[in-house]
């Protein structure tokens, strides 16, 4: 007989439903309950293990039907399936039917000996009787009663104006959704100015398509036990302009003067300035052609889609890290929004419905939902939001490619070229190598698309929206484009070429001037040399760092060598990467941070089975390495071997005690001794430093400074630990801010301790890339700043324009402020 499982946040509710269903059939059907959590203070919730146990209790080869109430009940049930052996899993069906009616109907169907499909059908049709009844009694137009529903759960609301410059564009929408999703309450939001319908606050697509711009008024309602807290958090987010500083947002297209094309020219949209002349190469994203078919087992199909989405999430997360290091955090945020698309409950529910109700294969179900969402963006009046179609399509295509088992298309160019494409997704664009891609010519897109923003950041000239005839040109055709006027020339005439070459040379000279400055040391007006280094995660990043004028690498995040693998990199593999980076750096210093895993960066092949309640406060960084000394020793051997004839320094992450530092150094000395014994050469004078990332390290900085050669302050972590604000939680983003006076005072203390011990101190957190903040940081006495490669030139320029005396005065004022906001007001232009 088919077994039935009832999953609910409330134990009382689940037991009530069980009682109701059981009394219909005099207890003949195996019914189990998985409800509530084992927390006497807060018993409402669901637990995957309980769901798993309930399924196991009623399991038979006839199958099990699982009915769930809301939100996390679905996640817990899905997770529980993961725990089952595959042969059992395929006999368990998660059912979208309403909990009470579905449970009763399913139980009755099971008791009469119905097979699993019949039981599912009965459960899914369970609302029909009620709906029909209500239609007859009230509105003939609606199956849902239009009378206000009285509920015991509080509903609260706020009305609030959005005042950040671009309104709820991609990043703020993402923050809104991330914040709304953290509460149990159901959040709904409505754009009063545009008179929209209320939409779900946990759906990125629904929130973004509200078309909220600066000055629009929102009505936000929250229903549930934590309604007030939820509204407060959303209000804080909006009042704080989503943590955006509008003056540093570069989302608007460059000014464009339109001149009509003359003969031989094609007109497009100027998206990224500069002139390119090169043979064209066509680029096509991975093929995603698929066929429609009907599936037998809806569970397997749903799991197939979920597995593909999981892989897509991993791919996007690594793209996000890559972009944040190599291009910048603002550009990386684009991929935050991509991750939210994949977590959008409305999209998930729609895809699941296509699979379960229409028995469509995952590809068709997924594409239908992506098309629907993309169309809802296209319908908006707002040009900026219309551009988000690119992002939806990008994510959609990624999942399809994975479903179809196609490998990603990487563009391997052998010579400098202009890329011609219908469109380039943001994912495609971040992977372009600016040393090979001279220009971008697309037949779709606009200057506000994410691809255009990335092209501008990478300094690649681009013209978009060009006539589709360019798609028919053979590869290798000479093409020229001017990203300032938005014009494209195919096989340009010699006289046009001559003019364009002059323009290109002028542009290149201007660029070279800017680069020259970037390649000069950064010296303040009163003569202090501040070292400007780069944060990198790969050999490619090292190349970008050098070409942008880095004087060395201040932070090599070695965890990127360990991510996206099934086992740890060997000593030889690591050695090769470190050597390749030193070659690129050509004797400039390279600071290699030992593995900083844990927190939000987990390695499935190394993680222990114990789940940490607070991973950021758990076994991460040096703690993890000291628990896994063999792993650390392998890395240290690779670093030491790479140090021969090179300027490599080692840096320990997350040190909180002298004992940890000494333990790490003892392992280091041991590895050195072993290499000596084996006659393996290494740099005997290698400098060893540590990151200052914990308040504990600041408190004992005087003691630590006596044991190392340098400090580098990691403000990303230091801020979260000083302010007790998770760096990944947007609700506390304004707290976990390196410009909080409390954090600035920690920086000051660290610098004082370092200088008293005659060691240098740098800073490699994200705040160093905020060029307007440079005077405050230098006023606090830092000797080195390490930033993403793209930020080097503007930072050097900013340093060359200040004096240390003025900077010190400003830093003193900053230390006395009452908030990060007032510190920012000291340096950011008003308005
Ligand atoms: C930091 O914490 O500031 C830092 C640079 O390290 P990561 O961001 O890699 O934790
Ligand atoms: Mg850190």
């Amino acid at each position: 007989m088919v077994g039935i499982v009832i999953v609910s946040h409330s134990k009382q509710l689940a037991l009530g439903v069980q009682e109701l269903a059981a009394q219909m059939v005099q207890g003949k059907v195996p019914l189990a309950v998985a409800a509530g959590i084992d927390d006497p203070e807060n018993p409402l919730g669901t637990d995957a293990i309980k769901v798993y146990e309930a399924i196991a209790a009623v399991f038979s080869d006839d199958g099990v039907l699982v009915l769930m109430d809301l939100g996390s009940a679905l996640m817990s049930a899905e997770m529980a399936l993961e725990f089952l052996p595959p042969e059992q899993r395929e006999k368990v069906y998660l059912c979208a039917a309403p909990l009470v009616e579905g449970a009763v109907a399913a139980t009755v169907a099971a008791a009469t000996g119905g097979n699993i499909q019949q039981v599912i059908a009965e459960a899914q049709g369970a609302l029909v009787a009620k709906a029909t009844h209500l239609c007859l009694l009230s509105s003939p137009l609606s199956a849902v009663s239009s009378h206000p529903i009285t509920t015991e759960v509080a509903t609260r609301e706020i009305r609030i104006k959005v005042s950040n410059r671009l309104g709820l564009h991609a990043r703020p929408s993402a923050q809104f959704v991330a914040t709304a999703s953290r509460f149990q309450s159901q959040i709904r939001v409505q754009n009063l100015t545009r008179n929209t319908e209320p939409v779900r606050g946990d759906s990125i697509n629904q929130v973004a398509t509200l078309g909220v711009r600066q000055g629009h008024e929102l009505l936000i309602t929250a229903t549930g036990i934590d309604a007030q807290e939820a509204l407060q958090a959303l209000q804080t987010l909006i009042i704080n302009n989503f943590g955006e500083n509008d003056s540093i947002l570069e989302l608007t297209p460059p000014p464009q003067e339109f001149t009509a094309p003359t003969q031989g020219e094609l007109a497009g949209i100027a998206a990224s300035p500069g002139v390119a002349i090169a043979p064209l190469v066509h680029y096509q994203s991975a093929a995603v052609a698929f066929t429609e078919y009907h599936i037998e087992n809806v569970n397997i199909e749903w799991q197939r889609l979920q597995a593909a989405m999981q892989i897509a999430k991993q791919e996007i997360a690594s793209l996000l890290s890559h972009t944040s290091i190599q291009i910048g955090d603002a550009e990386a945020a684009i991929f935050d929004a991509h991750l939210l698309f994949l977590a959008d409950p409305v999209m998930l529910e729609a895809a699941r419905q296509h699979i379960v109700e229409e028995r469509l294969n995952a590809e068709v179900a997924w594409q239908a939902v992506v098309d629907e969402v993309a169309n809802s963006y296209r319908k908006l009046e707002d040009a900026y939001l219309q551009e988000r179609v690119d992002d939806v399509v990008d994510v959609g295509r990624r999942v399809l490619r994975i479903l179809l088992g196609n490998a990603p298309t990487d563009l391997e160019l052998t010579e400098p070229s202009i890329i011609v494409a219908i469109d380039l997704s943001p994912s495609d664009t971040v992977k372009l190598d600016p040393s090979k891609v001279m220009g971008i010519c697309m037949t779709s897109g606009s200057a506000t698309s994410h691809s255009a923003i990335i092209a501008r950041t990478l300094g690649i000239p681009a013209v978009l929206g060009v006539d589709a005839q360019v798609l028919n040109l053979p590869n290798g055709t000479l093409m020229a484009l001017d990203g300032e006027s938005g014009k494209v020339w195919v096989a340009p005439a010699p006289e046009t070429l001559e003019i364009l070459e002059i323009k290109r040379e002028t542009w290149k000279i201007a660029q070279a001037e800017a680069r020259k400055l970037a390649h000069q040391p950064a010296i303040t007006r009163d003569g202090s040399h501040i070292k400007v280094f780069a944060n990198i995660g790969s050999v490619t990043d090292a190349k970008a760092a050098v070409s942008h004028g880095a004087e060395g690498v201040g932070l090599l995040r070695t965890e990127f060598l360990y991510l996206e693998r099934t086992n740890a990199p060997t000593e030889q593999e690591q050695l090769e990467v470190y050597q390749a980076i030193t070659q690129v750096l050509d004797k400039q210093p390279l600071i290699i941070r030992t593995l900083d895993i844990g927190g939000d960066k987990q390695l499935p092949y190394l993680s222990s089975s114990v789940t940490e309640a607070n991973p950021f406060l758990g076994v991460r960084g040096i703690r993890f390495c000291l628990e896994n000394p063999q792993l650390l020793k392998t890395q240290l051997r690779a670093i030491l071997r790479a140090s021969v004839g090179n300027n490599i320094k080692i840096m320990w992450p997350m040190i909180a005690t002298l004992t940890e530092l000494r333990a790490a150094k003892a392992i280091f000395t041991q590895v050195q001794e072993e290499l000596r014994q084996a006659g393996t050469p290494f740099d005997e004078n290698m400098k060893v430093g540590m990151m200052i990332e914990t308040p504990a390290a600041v408190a004992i900085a005087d003691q630590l400074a006596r044991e190392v050669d340098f400090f580098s302050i990691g403000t990303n972590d230091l801020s979260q630990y000083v302010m007790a604000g998770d760096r990944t939680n947007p609700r506390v983003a304004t707290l976990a801010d390196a410009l909080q006076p409390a954090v600035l005072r920690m920086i000051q203390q660290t610098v004082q301790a370092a200088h008293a011990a005659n060691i240098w101190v740098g800073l490699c957190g994200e705040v160093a890339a905020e060029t307007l903040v440079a005077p405050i940081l230098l006023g606090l006495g830092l000797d080195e700043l390490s930033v993403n490669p793209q930020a080097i030139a503007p930072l050097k320029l900013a340093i060359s324009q200040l004096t240390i005396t003025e900077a010190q005065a400003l830093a003193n004022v900053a230390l006395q402020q009452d908030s990060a906001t007032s510190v920012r007001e000291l340096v950011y232009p008003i308005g």
Side-chain angles (χ1 to χ4, degrees):
M1 190 180 291
V2 172
I4 293 168
V5 170
I6 297 157
V7 184
S8 168
H9 284 68
S10 155
K11 193 163 190 173
Q12 278 158 307
L13 173 64
L15 289 174
V17 174
Q18 187 188 32
E19 188 185 2
L20 205 58
Q23 57 109 29
M24 298 271 182
V25 294
Q26 283 89 41
K28 273 198 291 192
V29 177
L31 272 165
V33 158
I37 49 172
D38 296 330
D39 177 355
E41 300 275 299
N42 186 15
L44 293 181
T46 57
D47 175 350
I49 297 289
K50 285 194 175 180
V51 181
Y52 164 74
E53 287 167 354
I55 294 172
V58 297
F59 184 83
S60 77
D61 281 347
D62 291 333
V64 175
L65 185 75
V66 182
L67 291 144
M68 301 140 287
D69 62 4
L70 346 142
S72 71
L74 276 73
M75 316 293 170
S76 300
E78 283 168 354
M79 211 181 289
L81 290 185
E82 306 286 322
F83 304 148
L84 291 167
E87 63 283 5
Q88 286 192 7
R89 194 183 306 148
E90 61 187 39
K91 297 199 169 103
V92 178
Y93 294 78
L94 307 188
C95 181
L99 189 68
V100 181
E101 293 84 352
V104 172
T107 309
V108 172
T112 56
N115 64 26
I116 187 78
Q117 298 305 342
Q118 288 162 331
V119 173
I120 293 172
E122 281 300 310
Q124 281 175 340
L127 269 188
V128 174
K130 197 190 222 173
T132 315
H133 182 75
L134 287 174
C135 284
L136 290 175
L137 287 181
S138 57
S139 160
L141 294 174
S142 165
V144 179
S145 168
S146 56
H147 296 299
I149 299 162
T150 47
T151 164
E152 289 187 15
V153 185
T155 296
R156 294 170 189 269
E157 62 175 51
I158 50 166
R159 282 162 188 261
I160 186 164
K161 274 211 169 119
V162 170
S163 42
N164 65 315
R165 187 158 61 91
L166 286 170
L168 285 187
H169 63 82
R171 188 168 160 269
S173 294
Q175 286 181 287
F176 187 101
V177 170
T179 305
S181 309
R182 281 171 203 265
F183 294 92
Q184 287 187 22
S185 293
Q186 286 200 359
I187 314 287
R188 297 185 74 77
V189 52
Q190 188 174 357
N191 184 345
L192 294 175
T193 312
R194 286 218 161 128
N195 203 14
T196 66
E197 290 291 314
V199 299
R200 288 178 63 153
D202 59 355
S203 161
I204 182 74
N205 295 305
Q206 294 204 343
V207 170
T209 47
L210 286 173
V212 179
R213 305 312 308 259
Q214 189 175 38
H216 284 190
E217 192 182 13
L218 301 183
L219 173 64
I220 310 173
T221 60
T223 309
I225 47 169
D226 50 8
Q228 183 151 1
E229 294 86 338
L231 291 180
Q232 232 159 34
L234 289 166
Q235 189 171 26
T236 312
L237 191 68
I238 296 171
I239 288 174
N240 288 328
N241 284 346
F242 301 88
E244 270 178 5
N245 188 304
D246 287 347
S247 56
I248 53 169
L249 256 185
E250 215 247 297
L251 290 167
T252 40
Q256 176 186 358
E257 264 177 43
F258 183 78
T259 43
T262 56
Q263 239 217 326
E265 292 175 6
L266 296 171
I269 300 160
S272 175
V275 176
I277 304 170
L280 69 87
V281 171
H282 289 283
Y283 176 77
Q284 260 180 331
S285 300
V288 286
F290 56 88
T291 46
E292 178 177 332
Y293 55 92
H294 283 270
I295 40 115
E296 288 291 314
N297 189 326
V298 291
N299 244 4
I300 292 184
E301 204 60 9
W302 172 236
Q303 278 164 25
R304 198 163 78 81
L305 179 57
Q306 283 186 304
M309 291 172 86
Q310 198 48 40
I311 298 173
K313 278 184 196 162
Q314 284 162 4
E315 286 185 5
I316 296 171
S318 96
L319 212 53
L320 194 146
S321 314
H322 163 89
T323 312
S324 125
I325 292 177
Q326 213 188 340
I327 303 178
D329 270 5
E331 289 75 15
I334 293 167
F335 297 106
D336 267 332
H338 285 203
L339 285 175
L340 278 174
F341 287 140
L342 288 177
D344 189 323
V346 177
M347 270 179 103
L348 287 177
E349 274 161 31
R352 194 181 171 120
Q353 260 177 18
H354 285 304
I355 292 177
V356 173
E357 287 169 16
E358 296 164 48
R359 306 189 84 78
L360 289 172
N361 53 319
E363 290 84 353
V364 177
W366 173 248
Q367 191 56 44
V369 175
V370 169
D371 288 346
E372 211 172 295
V373 174
N375 281 337
S376 61
Y377 279 98
R378 281 192 192 103
K379 280 190 208 131
L380 296 171
E381 284 161 26
D382 187 308
Y384 180 77
L385 285 168
Q386 281 178 6
E387 288 303 330
R388 304 292 67 80
V389 172
D390 292 353
D391 294 295
V392 176
V393 171
D394 192 3
V395 177
R397 210 184 274 162
R398 181 182 295 281
V399 173
L400 266 189
R401 174 181 57 69
I402 296 166
L403 277 171
L404 294 165
N406 294 350
T409 26
D410 274 336
L411 189 63
E412 292 290 342
L413 294 175
T414 48
E415 55 169 353
S417 313
I418 291 178
I419 303 292
V420 173
I422 298 176
D423 61 2
L424 276 180
S425 66
S427 314
D428 294 330
T429 316
V430 284
K431 288 196 282 179
L432 297 180
D433 175 359
S435 70
K436 289 273 165 47
V437 180
M438 299 292 99
I440 297 173
C441 170
M442 272 162 51
T443 58
S444 64
S446 83
T448 49
S449 68
H450 278 150
S451 306
I453 294 167
I454 297 167
R456 285 200 285 280
T457 317
L458 291 174
I460 303 176
V463 179
L464 312 184
V466 177
D467 192 292
Q469 59 180 282
V470 292
L471 299 174
N472 301 324
L473 299 167
N475 268 338
T477 309
L478 186 69
M479 180 178 256
L481 60 82
D482 179 354
E484 206 169 25
S485 66
K487 286 183 192 156
V488 171
W489 295 262
V490 179
E495 53 280 16
T496 311
L497 209 50
E498 206 176 310
I499 299 169
L500 285 172
E501 269 165 0
I502 294 171
K503 190 163 182 190
R504 181 178 63 173
E505 284 325 298
T506 319
W507 176 66
K508 278 189 168 172
I509 290 167
Q511 279 211 317
E513 283 295 310
R515 264 204 304 273
K516 209 161 87 195
L517 186 68
H519 286 273
Q520 305 291 326
I523 298 179
T524 63
R525 280 182 14 246
D526 48 0
S528 292
H529 175 197
I530 309 298
K531 284 181 270 174
V532 178
F533 284 5
N535 295 344
I536 67 165
S538 65
V539 184
T540 317
D541 294 346
K543 289 182 190 157
V546 169
S547 77
H548 284 87
E551 293 165 67
V553 165
L555 168 64
L556 168 59
R557 289 181 163 103
T558 55
E559 41 288 359
F560 288 99
L561 275 61
Y562 292 70
L563 296 173
E564 288 182 58
R565 303 176 50 110
T566 47
N567 49 9
T570 61
E571 182 181 323
Q572 187 59 29
E573 283 173 320
Q574 293 189 54
L575 174 65
E576 282 165 20
V577 175
Y578 302 145
Q579 280 174 334
I581 293 176
T582 54
Q583 259 182 16
V584 175
L585 290 181
D586 189 21
K587 307 277 181 248
Q588 288 184 320
L590 165 63
I591 300 180
I592 303 183
R593 178 174 76 184
T594 57
L595 182 61
D596 181 16
I597 214 71
D600 58 344
K601 290 179 240 150
Q602 299 291 342
L603 292 180
Y605 56 89
L606 287 178
S607 305
S608 81
S609 51
V610 186
T611 313
E612 294 182 312
N614 291 305
F616 272 122
L617 303 182
V619 184
R620 70 168 287 208
I622 200 67
R623 305 170 188 180
F624 180 85
C625 285
L626 293 176
E627 278 195 7
N628 296 276
Q630 282 313 327
L631 196 77
L632 180 59
K633 282 177 91 175
T634 305
Q635 184 172 38
L636 293 176
R637 283 174 65 89
I639 297 173
L640 281 163
R641 285 175 59 196
S643 70
V644 187
N646 289 313
N647 188 353
I648 292 183
K649 303 175 185 17
I650 274 191
M651 178 157 77
W652 313 111
M654 279 294 295
I655 297 282
T657 68
L658 264 174
T659 317
E660 284 168 347
L661 177 61
R662 288 179 182 153
K665 282 173 63 182
I667 294 177
F668 182 62
T669 312
Q670 200 185 337
V671 174
Q672 283 181 314
E673 191 47 42
E674 284 166 10
L675 288 177
R676 255 182 234 117
Q677 298 280 330
T680 311
F682 62 89
D683 174 8
E684 291 276 356
N685 297 316
M686 184 187 283
K687 299 280 185 245
V688 177
M690 58 166 279
M691 294 199 65
I692 299 281
E693 296 178 286
T694 64
V698 180
I700 56 167
D702 56 334
Q703 292 174 305
L704 295 167
R706 290 198 284 272
E707 310 240 352
V708 288
D709 298 307
F710 63 92
F711 283 158
S712 183
I713 306 176
T715 41
N716 304 341
D717 277 314
L718 185 61
S719 312
Q720 77 164 342
Y721 295 128
V722 170
M723 301 305 299
D726 181 343
R727 66 191 261 188
T728 63
N729 180 350
R731 284 167 65 200
V732 290
T734 44
L735 261 183
D737 181 339
L739 292 188
Q740 286 288 355
V743 182
L744 294 180
R745 288 175 186 216
M746 291 269 167
I747 298 174
Q748 186 191 40
Q749 274 185 47
T750 307
V751 172
Q752 285 169 351
H755 288 174
N758 284 322
I759 64 168
W760 64 265
V761 52
L763 190 148
C764 57
E766 279 303 320
V767 70
E770 282 189 54
T771 46
L772 293 175
V773 173
I776 298 180
L777 299 182
L778 298 190
L780 291 172
L782 289 158
D783 304 297
E784 174 247 34
L785 296 175
S786 192
V787 294
N788 69 69
Q790 301 291 337
I792 290 171
L795 180 59
K796 283 191 167 179
L797 183 66
I799 294 173
S800 70
Q801 289 169 344
L802 59 84
T803 69
I804 293 293
T805 323
E806 286 160 4
Q808 282 167 343
L810 186 63
N812 284 334
V813 178
L815 288 167
Q816 301 310 321
Q817 296 304 303
D818 56 8
S819 65
T821 311
S822 40
V823 171
R824 275 212 167 72
E825 277 166 9
L826 294 175
V827 288
Y828 282 101
I830 299 162

